[in-house]
Amino acid sequence: MTAGRFAPSPTGELHVGNLRTAILAWLFARSTGRQFLLRVEDLDRVRAGAEEAQLAELTAVGLTWDGEATRQSDRQAHYDDAVTRLRRDDRLFECFCTRRDIAEAASAPHVLPGHYPGTCRNLSEAEREAARRVRPAALRLRTDVGQYEVLDLLHGEYTGAVDAFVVVRNDGVPAYNLAVVVDDAQQGIDQVVRGEDLLSSAPRQAYLGSLLGLPPVEYAHVPLALNPERRRLAKRDGAVTLEALAAEGWEAAAVRSLILRSLGLPDTSLDAALGAFDPFRLPREPWIVDPPHLSSTDAATVPPNR
């Protein structure tokens, strides 16, 4: 089986930017004959009722998926197997650093901003034993490359830095980069369509997949929805969720039509959009969403990429 997927975190209602990415992931998958899967990434923060609300929102705009939605919280055994393999290959080391420790060490001129400086990589067993008495350890990946290249359908060849990133947090929870790589491979997902804010994560994930002997995936990092100040769209920007727009008189089908027009696609239905879909003709600039305009009576006339 080959498949694409949409994988929201159940932290609240989806806004129009999230729905746009979900529609794009569906279009990419269906246009290439892949299955389309839905995975709830609930290893981190979870808001009560958010999963049910998100599934209802996706259904309301007409999206369908193959099989039942899966949850990361049900997949711990798969993550444990991957950690065992990495331990066997001496690819993990314990890290006792706090966020503050890393921020202060990473301020040194020879360390890339935001990257782990290697503080705990070569601790002795005695040093590790002493550190364990102070705080539990996270597990970081013992890398032997500084960067890794991936191929993205929209961005071409992309090379990003790879550091000794966390694969298991110090509370024992699998980190995002581990979970997503294991999930995609185990579920037969070979196409990953998501927001371009995650492009810099792709080299880390692809490198980890190579260490685990997993097949490579096809990436497509799509433009984000931004507010008029060109910051990532958020619910605090105004009426940008289906629920908030419904209170302004919008039906879900009208919201879907707005999203499809922003992509330069026919807005009558998802099937019509699928028939005209060409990933290489998609807009490459962010979608600027002005919530006060969305809630106005002439919102239906908003042109693509306004």
Side-chain angles (χ1 to χ4, degrees), residues 240-263:
V240 293
T241 66
L242 283 186
E243 292 79 358
L245 288 166
E248 302 286 347
W250 283 73
E251 295 182 355
V255 177
R256 181 187 64 215
S257 293
L258 177 68
I259 291 170
L260 292 175
R261 285 198 300 279
S262 80
L263 297 168

Side-chain angles (χ1 to χ4, degrees), residues 102-250:
I102 294 172
E104 291 177 350
S107 65
H110 61 284
V111 178
L112 288 172
H115 280 243
Y116 180 67
T119 308
C120 297
R121 183 181 177 109
N122 297 311
L123 295 180
S124 68
E125 180 54 35
E127 290 171 321
R128 290 195 295 270
E129 181 60 32
R132 291 185 195 117
R133 292 194 289 268
V134 178
R135 61 183 282 114
L139 297 179
R140 289 184 179 271
L141 188 68
R142 190 181 299 277
T143 58
D144 53 15
V145 301
Q147 57 186 21
Y148 202 75
E149 183 180 279
V150 297
L151 181 63
D152 185 277
L153 285 176
L154 303 181
H155 295 266
E157 294 178 351
Y158 175 81
T159 301
V162 175
D163 64 347
F165 55 90
V166 171
V167 295
V168 179
R169 302 181 335 201
N170 72 351
D171 60 1
V173 176
Y176 169 75
N177 282 319
L178 174 70
V180 72
V181 168
V182 171
D183 287 340
D184 286 344
Q186 197 276 332
Q187 293 184 285
I189 293 166
D190 66 342
Q191 182 189 70
V192 172
V193 179
R194 59 191 181 187
E196 63 185 2
D197 56 325
L198 292 172
L199 177 60
S200 62
S201 298
R204 289 178 173 183
Q205 294 165 11
Y207 175 66
L208 176 58
S210 73
L211 294 181
L212 290 169
L214 303 178
V217 302
E218 177 182 272
Y219 291 104
H221 289 85
V222 299
L224 299 175
L226 305 179
N227 67 16
E229 288 73 44
R230 301 189 74 82
R231 294 192 296 268
R232 285 183 60 182
L233 190 67
K235 286 176 285 186
R236 62 178 175 270
D237 290 317
V240 293
T241 66
L242 283 186
E243 292 79 358
L245 288 166
E248 302 286 347
W250 283 73

